[in-house]
């Protein structure tokens, strides 16, 4: 008797991935790529395996560097059918600078990046129509912040339609003040996303920076009006707080003795959580997977670590 293989869940992740330069200023530099949503896409596919078809939705250039990056995504088994190519723009770029104490600072060149104009691509309507048949759409605050205001509104209108079509929406606030014109603008957009999303994977420090929440309890009180089905507040080394079905609990994590690099800690948590959820595990197990995956990632250098994480 042949065993039945479950149909993979279809996941679409909307966002931006940039060229990464790191190394010695005016000296040897290493090329790579990075982006919050792309990190989540790679880790989600690693953990979920055949249980999920993970598509990345973005715009890239037609230059050789953009092509080389896309080929890396394909090697990671990311579905790139919705990676639109822009003949007049290239991928954005960021430079990592390390000071004498090892502290990192970032310099960005993204204003004319192809991903910023994703919603203006001539093929975007066909992409959005296809995404309405997906099981899950995931995006972050950065996915919204990089867009021109009119395109941001267009994306939110699409998300409303997708939810009405039965798509589950997941949102990571990932607030970066420098990407927004003002705090009030950000708050107005985030309120719309809180009201729309089914799963909110938020970081307390980001929420406190944007809203002035004094503690986790204050953040939950503020977010209560949106009636988010599944709400997670990540609190770093203390794990996370999970609220689902009107029940709230703290999900502790195993302490990491030697933290090497916290880059992508939140992105990998989101991947672990969503992988478990897509595979039918409980919300408590999903939070545990998120904690465990993030704990593995921060013990290695870089946003996307070379060894396949196990949860």
């Amino acid at each position: 008797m042949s065993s039945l293989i479950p149909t993979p869940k279809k996941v679409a992740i909307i966002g931006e991935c940039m060229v990464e330069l790191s190394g010695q200023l005016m000296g040897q530099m290493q090329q790579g790529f990075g982006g919050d949503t792309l990190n989540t896409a790679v880790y989600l596919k690693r953990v979920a395996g055949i249980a999920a078809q993970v598509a990345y939705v973005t715009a890239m250039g037609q230059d050789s560097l953009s092509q080389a990056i896309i080929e890396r995504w394909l090697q990671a088994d990311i579905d790139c059918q919705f990676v639109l190519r822009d003949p007049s723009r290239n991928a954005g770029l960021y430079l990592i600078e390390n000071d004498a104490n090892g502290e990192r600072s970032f310099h960005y060149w993204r204003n004319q990046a192809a991903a910023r104009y994703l919603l203006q691509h001539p093929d975007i309507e066909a992409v959005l129509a296809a995404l309405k048949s997906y099981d899950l759409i995931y995006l972050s605050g950065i996915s919204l912040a990089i867009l021109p205001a009119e395109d941001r509104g267009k994306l939110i209108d699409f998300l409303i339609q997708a939810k009405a079509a039965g798509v589950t929406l997941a949102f990571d606030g990932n607030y970066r003040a420098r990407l927004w014109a003002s705090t009030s603008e950000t708050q107005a957009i985030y309120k719309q996303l809180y009201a729309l999303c089914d799963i909110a994977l938020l970081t307390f420090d980001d929420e406190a920076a944007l809203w002035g929440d004094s503690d986790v309890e204050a953040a939950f009180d503020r977010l209560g009006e949106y009636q988010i089905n599944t709400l997670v507040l990540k609190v770093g080394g203390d794990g996370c707080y999970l609220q689902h079905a009107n029940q709230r609990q703290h999900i502790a994590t195993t302490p990491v003795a030697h933290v090497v690099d916290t880059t992508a800690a939140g992105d990998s948590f989101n991947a672990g959580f969503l992988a478990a959820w897509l595979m039918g595990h409980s919300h408590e197990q999903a939070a545990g997977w998120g904690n465990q995956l993030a704990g593995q990632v921060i013990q290695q250098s870089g946003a996307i670590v070379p060894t396949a994480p196990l949860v």
Side-chain angles (χ1 to χ4, degrees):
M1 181 184 296
S2 62
S3 59
L4 295 177
I5 300 176
T7 302
K9 298 292 187 180
K10 295 169 65 176
V11 180
I13 296 182
I14 302 173
E16 171 200 39
C17 184
M18 293 181 288
V19 179
E20 176 188 276
L21 296 180
S22 61
Q24 183 180 3
L25 293 179
M26 306 307 294
Q28 289 189 329
M29 302 292 291
Q30 293 182 325
Q31 301 173 44
F33 59 88
D36 65 329
T37 50
L38 191 279
N39 299 336
T40 297
V42 170
Y43 286 123
L44 175 56
K45 183 59 185 177
R46 283 189 190 180
V47 176
I50 62 172
Q53 173 189 333
V54 181
Y56 198 52
V57 183
T58 193
M60 296 287 282
Q62 291 185 342
D63 57 288
S64 57
L65 184 53
S66 291
Q67 181 60 35
I69 292 173
I70 294 170
E71 288 173 1
R72 293 289 187 91
W73 300 348
L74 291 168
Q75 291 169 14
D77 206 15
I78 300 301
D79 181 349
C80 293
Q81 64 174 311
F82 302 133
V83 177
L84 303 180
R85 307 301 289 271
D86 187 329
S88 62
R89 299 182 178 91
N90 298 326
L93 180 147
Y94 69 96
L95 171 68
I96 302 174
E97 179 181 0
N98 294 308
D99 64 20
N101 297 317
E103 292 296 324
R104 307 195 325 161
S105 58
F106 296 83
H107 307 275
Y108 294 92
W109 293 265
R110 73 195 331 162
N111 285 345
Q112 293 303 313
R116 177 172 162 78
Y117 298 94
L118 170 66
L119 273 292
Q120 297 179 23
H121 195 283
D123 295 332
I124 191 60
E125 293 301 334
V127 170
L128 298 181
L131 295 185
K132 291 179 183 177
S133 68
Y134 271 55
D135 297 293
L136 174 72
I137 292 176
Y138 168 93
L139 75 164
S140 76
I142 294 176
S143 308
L144 292 158
I146 64 170
L147 301 176
E150 183 176 344
D151 293 350
R152 200 179 293 145
K154 181 177 180 179
L155 179 56
I156 292 173
D157 287 343
F158 159 71
L159 294 175
I160 294 171
Q161 296 169 24
K163 181 164 184 174
V167 181
T168 298
L169 302 182
F171 175 62
D172 175 6
N174 213 1
Y175 172 56
R176 299 294 179 266
R178 69 166 63 184
L179 296 179
W180 295 90
S182 67
T183 300
S184 59
E185 176 190 59
T186 315
Q187 290 177 340
I189 295 297
Y190 277 41
K191 285 180 179 179
Q192 294 180 70
L193 267 296
Y194 295 147
L196 271 175
C197 70
D198 303 285
I199 302 172
L201 300 166
L202 310 177
T203 299
F204 172 70
D205 286 347
D206 288 349
E207 294 297 298
L210 178 57
W211 300 95
D213 299 326
S214 57
D215 53 29
V216 168
E217 190 68 31
F220 273 112
D221 287 345
R222 172 179 53 80
L223 291 162
E225 68 175 285
Y226 303 102
Q227 299 182 325
I228 301 168
N229 182 270
T230 301
L231 173 58
V232 174
L233 276 180
K234 294 167 279 185
V235 287
D238 289 331
C240 68
Y241 289 86
L242 166 68
Q243 183 170 285
H244 175 69
N246 296 318
Q247 299 294 318
R248 186 185 309 165
Q249 58 185 304
H250 176 233
I251 309 294
T253 189
T254 303
V256 174
H258 181 55
V259 176
V260 175
D261 186 352
T262 59
T263 303
D267 308 332
S268 56
F269 175 96
N270 297 347
F273 186 98
L274 293 173
W277 178 81
L278 287 164
M279 295 167 74
H281 297 291
S282 70
H283 290 80
E284 293 80 6
Q285 287 177 301
W289 280 31
N291 283 338
Q292 188 174 344
L293 182 53
Q296 293 182 38
V297 168
I298 63 175
Q299 295 180 68
Q300 303 178 63
S301 296
I304 300 174
V305 300
T307 57
L310 301 174
V311 294

